[in-house]
Amino acid sequence: MAKVCSVCEKGKVSGNHVSHSNRHNKRTWSPNLRKVRAIVKGTPTRVLVCTRCLRSGKVERSI
C-alpha cells in the first residue's frame, strides 16, 4: 500500500535537511495518513486518508 492519500493524492515530498553549519542532506516528508473506513462508490472500504481531508470533510466516513 502506497503512502498516498486516496482523496487528494498527497504523497511524499523530498528536500534537504540543512544543519546549523549549512550542510545539506537529503530527507523526505510523509503526509499524515490515517486508515479509515469510508464510503467509496456506495460501499464502505478501508482507505488511507490524510488528516487535512478528514478535517475539511472531503471524506464520508462509514460507521
Side-chain angles (χ1 to χ4, degrees), residues 36-40 42-47 54 59-63:
V36 296
R37 282 174 53 98
I39 297 177
V40 178
T43 60
T45 56
R46 202 169 290 242
V47 291
L54 282 174
V59 179
E60 184 180 351
R61 300 202 45 184
S62 67
I63 298 171

Side-chain angles (χ1 to χ4, degrees), residues 11-45:
K12 276 192 169 184
V13 179
S14 63
N16 287 312
H17 179 276
V18 183
S19 69
H20 178 67
S21 62
N22 206 29
R23 292 174 65 105
H24 289 63
N25 295 309
K26 284 292 191 182
R27 63 155 296 179
T28 58
W29 287 268
S30 297
N32 190 4
L33 298 177
R34 297 288 175 249
K35 195 181 287 188
V36 296
R37 282 174 53 98
I39 297 177
V40 178
K41 298 179 184 173
T43 60
T45 56

Side-chain angles (χ1 to χ4, degrees), residues 46-57:
R46 202 169 290 242
V47 291
L48 282 174
V49 180
C50 68
T51 54
R52 177 72 57 98
C53 291
L54 282 174
R55 193 174 62 189
S56 62

